[in-house]
Amino acid sequence: MDWEFVSNLLLASVRMATPLIFLSLAELYSQRAGLVHIGLEGLAAIGSLIGFLVSLITGSPLLGVVAGAAVGVLVNMIYAYATINLCAEQIVYGMAINIFAPALASFIYRVYFGAGSELVQVSLMSTLASMLGITSDNFFVKLLLDQTLMVYLAYGLVFFTAIYFNKTKSGLNFKAVGEYPKAAATLGINVVGVKYAASVICGALAGIGGAYLTTCYATTYTDGNVAGRGFIALAAVIFGRWSAGGVLLACLFFGFCDALQIRLQVSSFGVPYQFFQMIPYIATVVVLAVIGMKKAGPKGVGKPYLREER
């Protein structure tokens, strides 16, 4: 193991953590408003497909990301209406999104390209270094400049979220809805409005996380390309203790595990590659087993809000 291996591993960890950051922030905003959302996998899947199609049609990966965010919001409104207005079980509808959205994405892909079609590829989003015409083998130059705009957006959103939830009145009101919505309502906070705003943010960020996979990471769409990242994001929120900084560290850890398993697969260890593919998921189970419930999340998470109840 030399410096080239280590540096490439660290650079890959940053890129691999990016979709997890988008998905984890989506879950963080949702849970801070009292909505536990296990449907991130489905939202990312449909965002991945629509991002790919729009990027293919328009030739613009950036428009693909925007389209992925839009379709994520649209699909998530099903979950929002059912859980906020109808007070339906959040876990059930989250699982319904996980079943419905990937199936819809697969159906749209087969209708558009036809069954048994050849693999279609798109151009990936350019990195900042390539746009500026900078070429360098220096590790820090690559780390800071050889990234797509979506990487900078993801890490920027982490800092914005930390400031928003801890330093602004709006952010504190947002968290109050997730902690005790009835008390928040007595203070004049629009609880339903905050929950819908959280659903919009959650859908958009989850859609972006999915679109990242087909516009910035891989050149094509395949069924199952989200590969459990939605569930890993749920673990990252718990691991990160429902804080933006903690979520960032958790995503970097899981991103490192993902990058490590890819590099171990191509190494000549004589071990079946399926064993290495298990690393991110084993890490997720271990983390949850060790620190899972030592601190609970928002007190109102997962509970329906009924304005008529006292």
Side-chain angles (χ1 to χ4, degrees):
M1 184 181 297
D2 54 13
W3 167 244
E4 183 180 2
F5 177 89
V6 174
S7 62
N8 288 334
L9 177 61
L10 294 176
L11 291 171
S13 299
V14 173
R15 292 191 294 269
M16 299 297 285
T18 300
L20 290 176
I21 291 174
F22 282 119
L23 291 169
S24 298
L25 289 178
E27 183 66 22
L28 179 62
Y29 275 95
S30 186
Q31 290 204 22
R32 279 300 184 185
L35 300 171
V36 58
H37 201 325
I38 68 169
L40 299 177
E41 190 85 1
L43 295 177
I46 192 68
S48 175
L49 183 275
I50 297 301
F52 168 74
L53 286 180
V54 172
S55 179
L56 177 67
I57 295 169
T58 65
S60 171
L62 184 59
L63 287 179
V65 171
V66 174
V71 75
V73 173
L74 183 63
V75 173
N76 203 37
M77 286 301 99
I78 301 172
Y79 170 87
Y81 178 76
T83 57
I84 299 172
N85 293 86
L86 304 182
C87 298
E89 177 59 47
Q90 296 173 15
I91 299 296
V92 172
Y93 271 86
M95 185 54 67
I97 293 294
N98 277 340
I99 297 171
F100 165 72
L104 178 62
S106 181
F107 172 75
I108 293 173
Y109 183 87
R110 282 163 175 74
V111 168
Y112 190 87
F113 293 105
S117 60
E118 295 182 359
L119 199 64
V120 181
Q121 295 182 311
V122 296
S123 299
L124 297 180
M125 187 178 294
S126 301
T127 64
L128 182 60
S130 63
M131 289 189 289
L132 297 176
I134 298 174
T135 56
S136 175
D137 291 329
N138 184 274
F139 170 76
F140 294 103
V141 173
K142 285 186 175 182
L143 179 64
L144 297 176
L145 297 178
D146 196 21
Q147 309 290 349
T148 65
L149 294 178
M150 303 314 300
V151 175
Y152 302 114
L153 176 62
Y155 289 88
L157 281 173
V158 171
F159 291 105
F160 169 81
T161 301
I163 294 172
Y164 175 70
F165 279 141
N166 297 301
K167 300 296 182 181
T168 68
K169 179 181 178 181
S170 175
L172 294 174
N173 289 343
F174 197 109
K175 290 200 297 183
V177 170
E179 292 291 342
Y180 197 44
K182 294 177 183 176
T186 62
L187 296 175
I189 299 172
N190 185 351
V191 174
V192 172
V194 170
K195 287 180 178 288
Y196 264 102
S199 296
V200 170
I201 295 171
C202 176
L205 291 178
I208 291 174
Y212 175 90
L213 297 173
T214 50
T215 60
C216 303
Y217 179 67
T219 59
T220 189
Y221 170 83
T222 57
D223 289 341
N225 64 338
V226 180
R229 288 181 175 88
F231 296 107
I232 293 177
L234 282 167
V237 173
I238 299 172
F239 188 11
R241 292 300 179 244
W242 292 269
S243 69
V247 162
L248 175 60
L249 294 177
C251 289
L252 287 172
F253 170 72
F254 290 125
F256 174 81
C257 292
D258 206 3
L260 178 63
Q261 65 92 5
I262 292 175
R263 272 147 184 79
L264 290 178
Q265 283 186 48
V266 299
S267 301
S268 55
F269 289 111
V271 179
Y273 72 92
Q274 292 90 347
F275 177 81
F276 298 122
Q277 284 183 324
M278 294 189 299
I279 291 176
Y281 311 106
I282 293 175
T284 303
V285 172
V286 170
V287 165
L288 289 178
V290 173
I291 67 170
M293 299 309 296
K294 289 183 179 178
K295 178 182 177 183
K299 293 179 177 60
V301 71
K303 301 176 182 177
Y305 170 65
L306 299 172
R307 281 178 287 189
E308 296 79 10
E309 282 189 352
R310 297 297 179 190

